[in-house]
Amino acid sequence: MEHLTNSLWALGAAVIAFVISAALGRLLIPFLHKLKFGQTILDIGPDWHKKKQGTPTMGGIMFIVGIIVSAVVCYLAFVLTGGASVGEEHNAVILGLVMAVLYGLIGFIDDYIKVVKKRNLGLTAIQKLVLQFAVAIAYLLGMTFLKGDTTPTATIIPFLGPVDLGWLYYVIAAIVIVGVVNATNLTDGIDGLDGSITFFAAVIMLILSTLFANMGGIITSAALAGGCLGFLVWNFHPAKVFMGDTGSLFLGGIVCAILFALNVPILVVLVGMMYIIEMFSVILQVGCFKLTHGKRLFKMSPIHHHFEMSGWSEVKIVCVFSAVTALFGIGAILLAIFGIIKL
């Protein structure tokens, strides 16, 4: 009976987020057109992307509103109907959503500078990193406060159980959060890619949250999945709107928030494998270019552009990358079952 109830809450969260995100497209896209908040396509991308010039950006606002409203309403309703008492899990949900919104705000500032101020690169790399690490540190300190008397620097590692990393936990955790947020941002390069990959990551995290009986994770993951689907109504190829840094940084933040709330951030290596591959393709490309004085490892990076240059369609890339996410996600589920739950 409990599993059925949890499933209904998850379904409700997903449907609400989907409806709000998809419906907002009808209002937001014409509004962004009117404001001339169009994407500027840089010369460093594939030549055929030039035809996307002027497509509205900052569309991530659609799913940010949908996900936040859905998660907050559903979780508060769950608490008020006697599903749980207000405590650590409840506060962790709110804190995680706040972190994700703050990352979305950093992305919004970056998009605003690019679109309105006509500075193509937006915030400088240093400005972004300072702001991103500030948010990550604030979030980690908040989580430490929530855990109270429990060991705040202990994290679950498969086959080992809770491992106390001491002060090193904060260093590693901050780097992981900022790394994933930026990796998610790099993944947003072709129509529907970031939203599709994150949808599958959300479904995997929904299953993980169910296995760990974490209602906050269940509702937030379901809302994330629904919000991504609602956005894909407008963003799947050919895209009528882009999420911009506003959306991609938010997605990276909320993925981290869910996994940290479950105390299994290590599983981001599997759940977010495609984000990580995208990020390391850029790192390897830059490293190879500098070390070999001009030679490139890929035709273009991030790696989704390499496959584009190799003749793959955008739809094919989205499907393959999503399938890879699903496969690694299954690995994360199996690792959780046999390496954590049955430990």
Side-chain angles (χ1 to χ4, degrees), residues 296-313:
R296 289 177 169 81
L297 186 61
F298 306 105
K299 294 180 180 180
M300 187 177 288
S301 68
I303 200 168
H304 56 257
H305 286 323
H306 169 81
F307 288 106
E308 269 195 290
M309 300 291 284
S310 300
W312 285 29
S313 70

Side-chain angles (χ1 to χ4, degrees), residues 96 99-100 103 139 143 173-181 184 205 224 250-265 268 275:
M99 176 178 71
Y103 278 122
Y139 169 74
M143 288 294 285
I175 292 173
V176 167
I177 292 172
V178 173
V180 170
V181 166
T184 309
M205 292 188 294
L224 176 58
F250 171 87
L251 292 181
I254 200 165
V255 167
C256 287
I258 294 169
L259 292 175
F260 271 86
L262 297 178
N263 203 21
V264 287
V268 76
Y275 304 141

Side-chain angles (χ1 to χ4, degrees), residues 52-252:
K52 301 182 181 184
Q53 185 91 13
T55 301
T57 189
M58 298 190 192
I61 294 171
M62 293 156 53
F63 59 74
I64 291 175
V65 173
I67 292 167
I68 296 299
V69 170
S70 174
V72 171
V73 168
C74 288
Y75 193 71
L76 288 180
F78 173 74
V79 171
L80 292 174
T81 54
S85 58
V86 176
E88 180 184 322
E89 181 185 313
H90 166 83
N91 293 325
V93 171
I94 301 301
L95 187 60
L97 291 176
V98 170
M99 176 178 71
V101 169
L102 287 175
Y103 278 122
L105 180 59
I106 294 172
F108 178 83
I109 295 170
D110 195 37
D111 286 333
Y112 184 84
I113 293 172
K114 291 176 186 175
V115 175
V116 178
K117 299 298 182 181
K118 306 302 181 184
R119 280 169 44 192
N120 285 349
L121 297 179
L123 293 169
T124 66
I126 295 298
Q127 288 172 331
K128 288 180 185 177
L129 286 175
V130 168
L131 290 171
Q132 289 169 357
F133 271 107
V135 171
I137 292 169
Y139 169 74
L140 292 170
L141 291 176
M143 288 294 285
T144 297
F145 177 77
L146 290 181
K147 290 180 180 179
D149 295 333
T150 60
T151 307
T153 54
T155 185
I156 298 174
I157 297 178
F159 303 110
L160 296 178
V163 176
D164 186 5
L165 299 177
W167 63 267
L168 194 58
Y169 169 83
Y170 296 103
V171 176
I172 296 173
I175 292 173
V176 167
I177 292 172
V178 173
V180 170
V181 166
N182 283 290
T184 309
N185 181 231
L186 289 171
T187 305
D188 182 34
I190 61 176
D191 298 355
L193 182 61
D194 218 352
S196 296
I197 288 174
T198 306
F199 166 76
F200 283 96
V203 172
I204 297 301
M205 292 188 294
L206 173 59
I207 297 171
L208 289 172
S209 299
T210 302
L211 291 173
F212 292 124
N214 187 303
M215 201 60 203
I218 289 172
I219 289 175
T220 308
S221 298
L224 176 58
C228 286
L229 274 184
F231 180 69
L232 286 171
V233 169
W234 305 102
N235 181 243
F236 203 78
H237 185 75
K240 297 176 181 62
V241 67
F242 299 139
M243 67 174 66
D245 288 1
T246 304
S248 60
L249 295 185
F250 171 87
L251 292 181

